[in-house]
Amino acid sequence: MEPVSLQDFVCALDPASLPRVLRVCSGVYFQGSIYEISGNECCLSTGDLIKVTHVRLQKVVCENLGTGQTMELAPNFQGNFSPLTGPQSYGTLEELVSATTQSSKQLPICFMSTHRITTKARVVPQEQPLKLEAVEMHLGTCCARCVLGTGAQQVILHLPLSQKGPFWELEPGPPRTLLQVLQDPALKDTILTCPVLPWHSLTLMPQYEVEAIMHLRRTIVKIPSTLEVDVEDITAFSQHIHFIQPLLLSEALARGGPFPLPTEILEVPEGPPIFLSPWLSSLRKGQRLCIYGVASPPWRFLASTKGRKVPRHFMISGAYQGKLRRRPREFPTAYDLLGALQPGQPLRVVATKDCEGDGLENPGFMSLAMGDRLEVLGSGQALGVQERDMNVLVCQRLSDQPGEEEYEEAEDQEQILLPLHFSGGFVEELGDGRRYSLQDLIAQFPLPCEVKVVAKDASHPDDPLPSFLGLRLEEKIMEPFLVVSLDSNPEMCFEVPPRWLDLTVVEAEGQPSQPAGPLPVVPVEELTEAFYYHLRKSPAFEGQAPPPRPPKSKGLSGQKKQVSKAKGVKSSEAFELQEPSLMPKPKRKTLRKVIKDSCNLYSQIPGHKKGLRPTKPITRDTSESVSPCSPLSFLLPSPMPFCCCFCL
């Protein structure tokens, strides 16, 4: 086949013959919004091979032959076209007949008038096709015998040769649609007419978009047919030509198969490693892989070791089969205690440091000694020594021996207020010795969670997790992974996250080897420190609570409030209150029912300052005055005396 322009090739192309392999005969460099491939400019060099897979009609440019004006027609244009024999029009029927006789054409011929023709029999609309069959005498006048219509609806008209036009000679045949005109090679570059267009003679220039595959190009190339490049069709000699089309792991994941898929690595993304795994060094150019499909389940857990100066970080698969036991959690501040409190789950802790209450900006705080047992009740608000509102944590002091608080009288239970920035140090009091699977543990307890791996995963002999004193399960990650193995070692299966390790591969020939039995996938991967902190900065962790703020300096406090006679504590409305019982009741193990979100507590506190209502009424002689420096000054009664206790 001789080289032709790309436009001529596409116009003469039969869509049923695709795909076609072309060789570029004249190179061209093109750029622009519709020519860019993933933001990169494309260049066709002489000798390049392209495989045309699809041709799509974009638009049709219609040009007026007389003025050179153009307009664009959509591919679904509904008008009909009739081909003209030439660009010349005739002023009268006599001129049309004379031109036909001189050109040695034989009657009948087809023609039309650009104006309406009125006769005694009927009116002929403009641009209505007519067939001139003969010239004869009619009622003493030389007339052209014409036929209007086709089939059984034909009407004979006798038009005098002096009938004025202009008239245009048409090619024989019925009118054609736009697609019929474009698909007929004989009508290429033919002058046409269309009744619904404002021009009587015009030409059509279609513009196509050619979709093609190029060697070592990952995406489909979209080339406009108007590109000035000559091509040669070499499909008949291209049976041995194989177009290598790269594929990203993310694309293999998106298309969902077919799996298993044998591949070969073309490119490994640059950047620091994400895993500290032996198989990572095997991922290099030329290495053959087998992709078995999407890993199940699709979730992972971030975990960090405890009890080490330099913690190590791991990503644990949801399919991990080791056994875990809960470890007591450590809380450096009261703020951490509040964040760990869950509705319906009692939280009891033991203080790990001694602390005196004199130096804190909370008159309701009592001293803590190392070993004191507390039960966390919820959040509240109190007035500091400078009459400023401050957030506090409401706790209840328990007896020194676990279990004795079951028989304490309600009036003997002591409540303690801790500022949220209080950094005394606490450790969870935990009596749970059960062994959990990973799925059961996550289903029953919120993250983060302190655990100890007491039995390793039997499918992973090199499981490193049981060797650590403790692990902190930090976050659940929902991210699809692909199960991959090395072609040279099918027994080494690992899971690759395309989002963070998007290899460029190409489909390889041959049948992949399938390991016998279930795939031996490694369920634990150690993360590099850089990748671990990259994950912690990802949007999945943006909703975590910020660390506690340190207390504000006393010297930076704003305008002081007017000193009131009684300093009160705004207790949290997150707990139900009831009248004190006449008889002591054993304490329940469960927490008080939270009826409102603690984040709305501040807006719901009444405008006047109310003191913390003690469990037991405080009686004192009215003649005695309580010094403002007294430890009980914050318990001065409000104008309306009352007495109540927290619901137990």
Side-chain angles (χ1 to χ4, degrees), residues 377-381 392 394 569-577 596-598 601 605 612-613 646:
L377 302 181
S379 63
Q381 282 192 333
V392 296
V394 183
V569 177
K570 299 179 181 180
S571 60
S572 170
E573 292 187 14
F575 309 101
E576 293 181 353
L577 301 179
K596 293 185 179 178
D597 191 353
S598 61
L601 293 176
I605 297 297
L612 179 67
R613 294 177 284 191
F646 286 103

Side-chain angles (χ1 to χ4, degrees), residues 598-618:
S598 61
C599 65
N600 296 325
L601 293 176
Y602 185 80
S603 62
Q604 298 173 357
I605 297 297
H608 58 281
K609 305 293 188 294
K610 292 184 180 180
L612 179 67
R613 294 177 284 191
T615 302
K616 188 174 182 180
I618 298 177

Side-chain angles (χ1 to χ4, degrees), residues 262 288 508-512:
R288 294 176 67 93
E509 298 179 353
Q511 294 295 328

Side-chain angles (χ1 to χ4, degrees), residues 91-94 116-119 159-165 167:
T92 62
L93 277 180
E94 186 176 3
R116 185 175 59 177
I117 301 175
T118 303
T119 65
L159 302 178
L161 294 182
S162 60
Q163 179 71 45
K164 294 182 178 181
F167 298 101

